[in-house]
């Protein structure tokens, strides 16, 4: 049997689904809101781009970078790069140009795809001396004012590829025959939540294995659809929303951005949707904010319905029967309340997935109660997606069960270790870091967890993020921080207290909630929320002092990763005086 590569997935998709829609890009005309690309076009574009790159001098194993938001042209370029036998390295677009230049110098790519001339100009202005690479614009025409020589557009690159194939009709077959499953296909930039970002290499074999494993666990196909909006540099987007739909024949729509997503969900009506916890949390906050503007009777109906739905969901998760009276009450709650909420997501969603960060049990309980259970999954740059709540059997608070072919064990210190064909090949030019995480055939995740009696896996913290109080007590901040996710007023929270005698916290507030409730005493409300959470904690875990920040933690200040995870060390460094005052007895 021939080796299966990422290009094999594209060939199979074109063979199976041909002229059926594969990708929907927002249209620039008034005739239709979307422009569709077929599977056959997808394959043809990738081959033309690959041939064009080879014509430019890109060779097997070379790195090609992509600096672009998630869009159809990204998918075409990405598949073109790996079809050429090169390694595709996507950059996080939320990082500043200077950071991108630093990364490009480390990678020394032979070519760089950039979204448009404005992005190119920003990169060139930040680079002194210039980055030595061929530049290709995904959108628009070459910009003579950009300062780069010989800038190509994607259309021009495809023209080069078509001409190369016309001169050498055997070129596509040679490209295909040179690809090996063991070749590196993708270079991921870790988001750097627990330290400086690293670069992980994934082979064709690892990517294909992740897609094949997913096919055994996630029942989607050409009749389904989804919306892509996450950064393509992140493994969740790249595997779950690019490679996996390619394997399953599911068409993907591209969002114009987070601000447009609520409208797009209603118009596209996806059946499959992957989002990080922040998206699910914002939806919940929006619902709660609107609810407080409704009459008291409406609020009482909502909370009664949520109570019934929550109890029914808990019973089903534990394989217990739901009494007839509860079923009837639930049917009424569904008709009067929950169906309207689900319509916000299009009304057809049958598999909702949360990934990239922990969701939190209470948030999962809310969505289960309204008839939209979240199937939380788990993966990491170094290992691919390795766990997921089984379809129709999601359990709140759990990251699910290991996917087929993935072996998981818990080390003596509680760390989650796994072996899987989806594991990465190693860190780019860093054998020491690779050896530290891949030991004796097991990938050490850095996450601490446990299994329940039914084989569901739960994360209880991160080894590097554990706080050890001055009396030796271990405190896992992620668990406590998750208790604030159900409070619409609280936007972000960061626990403090390593080597201290008590726990403190930094909070940021949601301005829409604070401003949307005239007369709200935010300080008093935060105090009430902290007291409420403290009642759920052991005495040594309780928050004794806190400070409410005057702004959110931000990506541009290095305080958040592109997937909105807190970079704890950077937050503490940026706000050292505030943190110090919390442990000097000066409460904010």
């Amino acid at each position: 049997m021939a080796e299966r590569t990422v290009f094999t997935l594209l060939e199979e998709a074109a063979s199976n689904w041909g002229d059926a829609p594969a990708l929907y890009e927002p249209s620039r005309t008034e005739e239709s809101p979307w422009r569709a690309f077929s599977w056959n076009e997808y394959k043809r574009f990738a081959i033309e781009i690959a041939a064009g790159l080879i014509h430019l001098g890109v060779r097997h194993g070379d790195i090609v970078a992509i600096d672009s938001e998630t869009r159809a042209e990204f998918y075409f370029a990405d598949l073109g790069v790996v079809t050429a036998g090169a390694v595709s390295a996507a950059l996080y677009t939320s990082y500043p140009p200077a950071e991108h230049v630093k990364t490009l110098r480390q990678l020394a790519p032979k070519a760089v795809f950039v979204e448009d001339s404005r992005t190119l100009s920003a990169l060139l202005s930040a680079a002194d001396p210039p980055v030595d690479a061929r530049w290709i614009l995904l959108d628009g025409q070459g910009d003579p004012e950009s300062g780069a020589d010989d800038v190509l557009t994607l259309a021009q690159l495809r023209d080069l590829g078509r001409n190369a194939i016309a001169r050498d009709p055997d070129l596509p077959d040679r490209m295909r025959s040179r690809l090996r499953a063991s070749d590196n296909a993708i270079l991921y930039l870790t988001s750097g939540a627990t330290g400086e970002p690293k670069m992980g290499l994934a082979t064709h074999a690892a990517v294909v294995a992740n897609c094949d494993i997913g096919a055994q666990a996630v029942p989607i196909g050409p009749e389904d659809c989804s919306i892509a909006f996450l950064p393509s540099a992140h493994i969740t987007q790249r595997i779950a929303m690019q490679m996996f739909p390619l394997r399953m024949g599911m068409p993907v729509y591209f969002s114009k951005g987070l601000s447009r997503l609520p409208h797009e969900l209603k118009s596209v009506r996806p059946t499959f949707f992957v989002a990080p916890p922040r998206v699910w949390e914002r939806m919940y906050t929006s619902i709660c904010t609107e609810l407080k503007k409704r009459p008291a009777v409406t609020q009482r109906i909502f909370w009664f319905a949520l109570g019934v739905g929550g109890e029914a969901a808990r019973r089903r998760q534990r394989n217990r029967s739901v009494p007839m009276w509860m079923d009837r009450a639930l049917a009424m709650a569904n008709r009067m309340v929950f169906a309207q909420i689900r319509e916000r997501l299009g009304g057809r969603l049958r598999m909702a997935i949360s990934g990239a960060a922990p969701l939190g049990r209470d948030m999962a309980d809310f969505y289960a109660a309204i008839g939209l259970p979240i199937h939380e999954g788990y993966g990491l740059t170094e290992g691919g997606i390795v766990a997921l709540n089984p379809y129709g059997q999601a359990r709140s608070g759990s990251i699910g069960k290991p996917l087929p072919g993935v072996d998981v064990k818990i080390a003596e210190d509680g760390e989650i270790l796994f072996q899987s064909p989806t594991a990465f090949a190693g860190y780019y030019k860093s054998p020491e870091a690779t050896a530290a995480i891949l030991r004796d055939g097991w990938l050490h995740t850095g996450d601490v967890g446990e299994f329940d009696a039914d084989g569901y896996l739960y994360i209880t913290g991160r080894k590097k993020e554990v706080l050890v109080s001055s009396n030796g007590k271990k405190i896992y901040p992620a668990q406590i921080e998750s208790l604030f996710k159900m409070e619409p007023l609280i936007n972000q929270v960061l626990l403090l207290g390593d080597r201290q005698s008590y726990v403190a916290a930094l909070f940021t507030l949601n301005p829409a909630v604070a401003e949307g409730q005239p007369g709200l005493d935010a300080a008093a409300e935060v105090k009430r929320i902290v007291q409420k959470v403290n009642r759920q904690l052991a005495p040594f875990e309780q928050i004794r002092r806190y400070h409410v920040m005057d702004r959110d933690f931000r990506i541009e200040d290095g305080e958040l990763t592109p997937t909105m995870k807190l970079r704890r060390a950077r937050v503490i460094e940026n706000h050292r005086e505030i943190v110090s005052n919390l442990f000097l007895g000066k409460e904010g």
Side-chain angles (χ1 to χ4, degrees), residues 254-298:
F254 294 97
S255 173
K256 289 183 178 179
L258 276 175
S259 63
R260 296 287 299 161
L261 190 59
H263 171 76
E264 291 163 344
L265 287 166
K266 292 178 182 178
S267 61
V268 172
R269 305 183 68 224
T271 58
F272 177 82
F273 185 60
V274 180
R278 289 297 291 163
V279 171
W280 302 112
E281 291 161 13
R282 284 172 177 172
M283 289 180 186
Y284 169 79
T285 296
S286 174
I287 291 166
C288 290
T289 301
E290 290 181 23
L291 182 66
K292 289 187 176 181
K293 299 175 183 178
R294 301 292 180 89
V297 64
T298 301

Side-chain angles (χ1 to χ4, degrees), residues 215-234:
Q216 301 176 56
V218 181
I220 61 169
E223 69 283 355
D224 292 289
C225 69
S226 190
I227 301 178
F229 68 96
L230 291 168
S232 283
H234 197 276

Side-chain angles (χ1 to χ4, degrees), residues 29-108:
T29 69
E30 299 296 327
E31 298 175 4
S32 171
W34 304 98
R35 182 195 171 186
F37 297 94
S38 72
W39 295 104
N40 281 332
E41 287 177 303
Y42 198 166
K43 176 186 171 184
R44 187 174 77 250
F45 293 175
I47 291 173
E48 291 170 352
I49 290 168
L53 289 171
I54 291 172
H55 176 80
L56 294 180
V58 173
R59 297 293 177 255
H60 208 87
D62 284 346
I63 291 175
V64 175
I66 308 178
D67 183 7
S68 171
E69 299 290 350
T70 297
R71 54 188 298 167
E73 291 82 0
F74 181 103
Y75 282 32
F76 300 147
D78 196 41
L79 267 291
V81 171
V82 300
T83 300
V87 181
S88 179
L91 308 181
Y92 281 106
T93 57
S94 54
Y95 286 164
E99 190 72 23
H100 286 175
V101 170
K102 177 183 174 182
T103 300
L104 291 174
R105 294 202 193 285
Q106 291 177 281
L107 296 177

